[in-house]
Amino acid sequence: MEASEPRRRRPAIVAVDDEPAVLAAVARDLRRQFGERYRIVRATSGAEALDALKELVTRGEQVALLVADQRMPGMAGTEYLVEARKLVPDAKRVLLTAYADTEAAIQAINEVDLDYYLLKPWDPPEEQLYPVVEDLLTTWEAGAALESGGVRVIGHRFSRDSHDLRDFLARNRVPMRWLDVERDAEARELLTMTGVEKEGLPVALLEDGTVLEHPTVRELAERLGVSVAPTAEHYDLVIVGGGPAGLAAAVYGASEGLKTVLVEREAPGGQAGMSSRIENYLGFPSGLSGSDLARRAVDQARRLGAELLTIQDAVGLTAEGAGRLVELSGGSTLSANCVLVASGVSYRQLTVPGFERLTGKGIYYGAALTEARSCQDQHVVVIGAANSAGQAAVFFSRYAGRVTMLVRGENLEKSMSSYLIDQIAALENIEVHTSAQAVLAEGDGHLDTLTIRDVNGERREKVDAAFVFIGAAPRTEWLEGVVARDEHGFILAGLDAKAAGWPLKRDPFLLETSVPGVFVAGDVRSRSMKRVASAVGEGSMSVSLVHEYLAE
C-alpha cells in the first residue's frame, strides 16, 4: 500500500466484561473468527465502553456489534446497552448471561431492542458462538451497504416520483443515497455539475457515471440489472408473487428439484416486506424486519436454484392441455406444468377528499420506511388498527415527535396482537384515538392538514405525514373469468373450488383452485389467516401438492 493511500479502518466489535479472564476469552474467540474483517475493542466496564464508543463515533468509524456481560458492577449490561444505543443505534446488540439470568435477558429484548442473548460459557464456539455472530454481522453489513453509497437519487421529498424510486431501491435492497434538493447542498452541487435542471427531477446518478433524468422504476431496474429475463422456455412451477407464501414455495420447490421461477411485480417480501418489525414469527425471539425476512428468503431460494424475476407483473393465465401459461406485463410468457398464485393483497385506497391528490406527497399506503428519517421530530398519523398499523406506529415513534393513531373501531383488541398493544401503551409519544377517521386531507403540494372526525365532532390538525393501513384488496384482476373467486376477489381453493365448478372426477387438492394444476397460497386465498407464519406454511405445503399433481 502506498504511503499516501489512507488505510481503511475495519468496523468495530466492542466487547465489555468486568472479569478480565472472560473478556480475554471473548475477545480471543471473536478475533479468531472475525479479526480479518472487524477490529475487536475491549472494555472492562460499561463506562469505559461508552468512552470507547464516543471516541469511535467522533473519528467517524463504524460500530457493527456490541457484546456486553449482564452482571457488571456499577452498570449492568442492559443499562450499558441502553446508553450505547443512543451513540450507535444501528449496531447489533448481544447480551452475555448465565442460565440463572435468562429471564432478565428475555426482558431486555423489549427494553433495549436486544438482537440476541448468549449463555456463558459457549463450547465449542464453532457451534454456539460463531453462527449467531455471523448472522448478526451479515444483517448489519447488508444495512450498512444500503446506507454507504451506490445509486444517488436527487429529488423533492414531497414528489410521488421521487418516493416511488426511493421505495423501489430500498425494498429491493439496492445501495442508495437520498439527497433532498431542498435540504442538501450536495444535491444542488451535483445538479450544477451534471447540468440537470430541476424540471428533470428526480434524477438517478449511477455508479458508472450514468445520469438518468426522471426515470421510471422499470427503466431504473433495467439499468441496474434488478429485472432479469427468464432463462428457460418451460418450468415445473411458476410462482406469482414474492411475499412469504411465494418465497417459501420457491425455497421448497427448488430444494425438491422442481425447476422453479418466481415473478414479483414490486420487490421480494410483498406486504410483509414493508413491516418494520415482526415479533411473533417462530424462531426469532427478538423479532426481525420484513425486509430482513425477505432478504434471507431470497438468498435461500437463489442458493437452492430458484429464479426470481422482479418488476414483472402477471397479467393473464391460460390453460392449454397439460400446460399453464402466465403472461407477463413485459410482453413475455412463462410456460409451466403448475402455477402457484401467491400474489397477496394491497392496502385499500381511502376514498376521502384530498387523499388521492396527496398520495406520495405526505400520504403513503403501507409503512414506507424510506420516509421515517424525514419525519424526525414531526407529527405522523397512522390510519388503521391491524398489526401492520401497530408495527408502523412503534417504528415511527423512534423518529417522529408525535404519532397519532386513528382507529375506526372502539378499541385495538379486536384486530391487533396484545404484544403490540402493550408496546404502544408504553410509548409516550403515541396517541391512540378510537372511533376516529380522517375525512379531509389538505395541503399545497404536500400534506399539511387533516380533518379528523370522532365522537366529539370534527377538528383540523397540522400533520407532516400520514400512513394508511386499511384492509386488504386481493391482486386477482388478471384471473377474471379463469379462476373462481369469492365476492371480494379472493381465490377459492379445495372444496370451495369444487363447489364453484370443478372439471375432474377427483376432488381438488387442498390448495388447488378451480383450474387443475393452478394452486393458491397466502393472503390471496379465500378464508386464509392473513398471518406471515400461515402464509409460509401454505407456500411450503403447496409444493407437496404440486408433486402429487405431477405424479398423476
Side-chain angles (χ1 to χ4, degrees):
M1 182 180 294
E2 296 291 337
S4 60
E5 184 182 346
R7 183 175 182 272
R8 183 180 176 275
R9 299 301 296 270
R10 292 164 293 169
I13 296 175
V14 179
V16 54
D17 197 304
D18 65 303
E19 298 182 37
V22 176
L23 180 60
V26 172
R28 179 200 64 217
D29 287 345
L30 290 173
R31 188 175 291 110
R32 185 169 61 184
Q33 183 70 11
F34 308 104
E36 291 186 3
R37 295 153 51 197
Y38 294 89
R39 186 157 58 95
I40 312 303
V41 178
R42 297 191 290 179
T44 58
S45 69
E48 182 183 334
L50 290 174
D51 288 339
L53 286 175
K54 291 174 184 176
E55 185 175 344
L56 290 168
V57 171
T58 301
R59 294 204 302 253
E61 297 190 36
Q62 293 178 301
V63 178
L65 178 67
L66 305 174
V67 181
D69 182 45
Q70 170 61 8
R71 290 193 177 187
M72 295 188 295
M75 181 181 291
T78 49
E79 295 177 60
Y80 155 70
L81 290 175
V82 168
E83 297 303 316
R85 183 183 178 188
K86 299 174 184 177
L87 297 171
V88 285
D90 296 325
K92 296 299 178 182
R93 292 170 286 279
V94 174
L95 193 67
L96 305 181
T97 181
Y99 181 77
D101 295 327
T102 54
E103 189 66 33
I106 293 173
Q107 187 176 352
I109 290 174
N110 290 329
E111 292 180 353
V112 302
D113 202 12
L114 192 67
D115 292 292
Y116 212 91
Y117 71 87
L118 286 168
L119 295 177
K120 300 186 296 183
W122 46 75
D123 185 41
E126 289 78 10
E127 296 179 11
Q128 305 296 330
L129 175 67
Y130 296 156
V132 171
V133 174
E134 182 64 49
D135 184 65
L136 292 173
L137 292 176
T138 298
T139 303
W140 178 84
E141 288 169 356
L146 294 178
E147 298 284 339
S148 63
V151 181
R152 287 172 292 181
V153 177
I154 303 173
H156 298 278
R157 176 191 172 190
F158 296 113
S159 158
R160 184 180 302 194
D161 293 333
S162 294
H163 168 74
D164 289 346
L165 292 182
R166 295 166 61 199
D167 195 54
F168 156 74
L169 292 170
R171 294 186 63 196
N172 283 276
R173 303 193 69 82
V174 177
M176 174 202 68
R177 285 183 60 213
W178 160 246
L179 298 169
D180 188 332
V181 72
E182 304 294 340
R183 298 182 179 183
D184 300 311
E186 182 183 354
R188 296 187 289 274
E189 292 173 6
L190 286 170
L191 291 180
T192 300
M193 290 172 56
T194 56
V196 176
E197 301 293 333
K198 288 190 176 182
E199 291 74 18
L201 296 180
V203 60
L205 308 180
L206 308 190
E207 290 184 291
D208 63 2
T210 301
V211 178
L212 300 178
E213 295 186 39
H214 216 290
T216 65
V217 167
R218 180 174 291 278
E219 288 170 346
L220 185 57
E222 290 174 351
R223 294 302 298 264
L224 294 172
V226 174
S227 179
V228 295
T231 62
E233 294 184 358
H234 186 78
Y235 294 86
D236 295 316
L237 176 61
V238 169
I239 302 166
V240 179
L247 288 169
V251 168
Y252 276 82
S255 69
E256 295 182 14
L258 297 178
K259 191 165 186 59
T260 302
V261 62
L262 180 149
V263 180
E264 166 55 43
R265 72 175 189 173
E266 293 175 348
Q271 194 178 83
M274 301 170 68
S275 174
S276 56
R277 198 159 193 83
I278 303 168
E279 296 195 56
N280 56 358
Y281 190 65
L282 184 66
F284 292 87
S286 58
L288 78 167
S289 69
S291 175
D292 192 29
L293 178 63
R295 176 187 61 80
R296 292 167 184 264
V298 166
D299 291 347
Q300 191 174 16
R302 282 180 168 150
R303 180 178 65 82
L304 293 168
E307 288 184 38
L308 272 69
L309 309 180
T310 55
I311 319 303
Q312 295 269 16
D313 201 5
V315 297
L317 173 68
T318 306
E320 293 186 357
R324 303 291 178 262
L325 304 177
V326 176
E327 300 170 37
L328 302 181
S329 54
S332 58
T333 300
L334 294 175
S335 171
N337 296 322
C338 293
V339 173
L340 173 66
V341 181
S343 49
V345 297
S346 57
Y347 292 112
R348 287 195 173 94
Q349 307 288 299
L350 261 181
T351 55
V352 170
F355 269 70
E356 182 179 359
R357 178 175 63 87
L358 296 173
T359 295
K361 303 176 182 180
I363 292 177
Y364 309 96
Y365 288 86
L369 304 183
T370 51
E371 302 295 334
R373 293 186 180 180
S374 299
C375 297
Q376 189 73 42
D377 299 325
Q378 295 184 343
H379 182 199
V380 168
V381 169
V382 174
I383 301 175
N387 277 5
S388 53
Q391 290 162 353
V394 171
F395 178 76
F396 284 112
S397 71
R398 302 177 189 174
Y399 302 90
R402 177 185 170 202
V403 176
T404 300
M405 292 191 70
L406 299 184
V407 178
R408 196 182 187 95
E410 297 179 357
N411 55 55
L412 291 172
E413 282 73 9
K414 291 182 180 179
S415 54
M416 189 178 295
S417 297
S418 60
Y419 80 90
L420 271 173
I421 296 175
D422 293 341
Q423 287 184 23
I424 290 170
L427 292 168
E428 295 182 357
N429 62 338
I430 297 182
E431 303 171 2
V432 179
H433 295 274
T434 56
S435 302
Q437 56 185 306
V439 295
L440 176 65
E442 299 175 275
D444 184 12
H446 62 85
L447 178 66
D448 176 72
T449 306
L450 282 181
T451 299
I452 299 169
R453 179 185 298 153
D454 58 19
V455 293
N456 297 315
E458 293 186 1
R459 66 182 186 280
R460 297 174 77 245
E461 285 203 23
K462 290 289 185 181
V463 174
D464 297 290
F467 300 87
V468 184
F469 306 81
I470 53 160
R475 297 174 173 177
T476 58
E477 302 86 356
W478 61 287
L479 296 170
E480 176 72 36
V482 180
V483 173
R485 303 176 296 165
D486 67 15
E487 65 273 20
H488 301 295
F490 292 92
I491 298 174
L492 301 176
L495 295 181
D496 290 335
K498 181 180 180 180
W502 174 249
L504 303 182
K505 291 183 178 180
R506 69 163 175 85
D507 286 343
F509 296 118
L510 184 62
L511 298 178
E512 197 168 17
T513 70
S514 59
V515 178
V518 177
F519 298 82
V520 61
D523 291 359
V524 73
R525 182 178 67 85
S526 179
R527 304 179 190 246
S528 65
M529 292 293 294
K530 308 296 188 291
R531 287 290 186 269
V532 173
S534 61
V536 170
E538 289 185 14
S540 306
M541 181 171 61
S542 69
V543 174
S544 296
L545 302 179
V546 166
H547 277 296
E548 289 191 51
Y549 174 84
L550 294 176
E552 289 183 336

